[in-house]
Amino acid sequence: MNKKFGYRNEIPLIDSVRFTVDSIIINLLDGRKITLPINRFPDIQKLTPAEKRRYDTLAGTGLMFDDSDTVYHISDFLGALKTVSDYSIEHKKNKTLPSLVAEPGEKYNKK
């Protein structure tokens, strides 16, 4: 069976952007909504409400505002696009990344 689950085969493309007092909300074409604290993006945060409404998407993968020189890529909002195996390799190497999968300890007799 070839069923699609999750968003693994979806390319994240920006559809629209809106703002709350302290957040930026990015709507993707596949239906996802990404809500992020606006203070993580100081160049966007300093724009007025009217300036925030004047933006363009660049082929769905980029975002730029008429009143700002900064151009954002979708990865700026999603974070580094890595696979689970990338995290496993890095975690083993530097022991700093958290586990991506949380499972009950009892299942494996771990407590």
Side-chain angles (χ1 to χ4, degrees):
M1 251 188 284
N2 245 352
K3 290 186 178 181
K4 282 179 132 181
F5 294 101
Y7 290 95
R8 182 177 175 94
N9 296 319
E10 298 284 336
I11 297 171
L13 297 173
I14 300 168
D15 181 37
S16 63
V17 178
R18 65 186 177 91
F19 297 90
T20 65
V21 172
D22 57 356
S23 299
I24 179 172
I25 302 162
I26 300 169
N27 299 304
L28 301 181
L29 285 173
D30 61 22
R32 288 181 279 180
K33 293 178 195 240
I34 305 165
T35 303
L36 304 156
I38 194 74
N39 65 4
R40 296 295 298 260
F41 305 93
D43 288 348
I44 298 174
Q45 185 177 23
K46 70 181 180 184
L47 297 173
T48 67
E51 291 171 335
K52 289 175 185 169
R53 287 191 293 273
R54 292 192 299 270
Y55 69 86
D56 289 306
T57 61
L58 308 169
T61 61
L63 179 66
M64 60 185 274
F65 294 85
D66 292 351
D67 299 292
S68 175
D69 292 331
T70 306
V71 177
Y72 298 91
H73 186 267
I74 188 70
S75 63
D76 295 321
F77 304 111
L78 292 173
L81 302 175
K82 295 186 174 191
T83 65
V84 172
S85 61
D86 291 334
Y87 281 106
S88 298
I89 291 166
E90 288 183 36
H91 180 63
K92 287 176 185 173
K93 187 167 82 174
N94 59 28
K95 305 285 186 194
T96 58
L97 296 173
S99 172
L100 295 176
V101 179
E103 297 201 27
E106 297 81 32
K107 182 175 179 179
Y108 299 101
N109 296 321
K110 295 179 183 176
K111 293 185 183 192

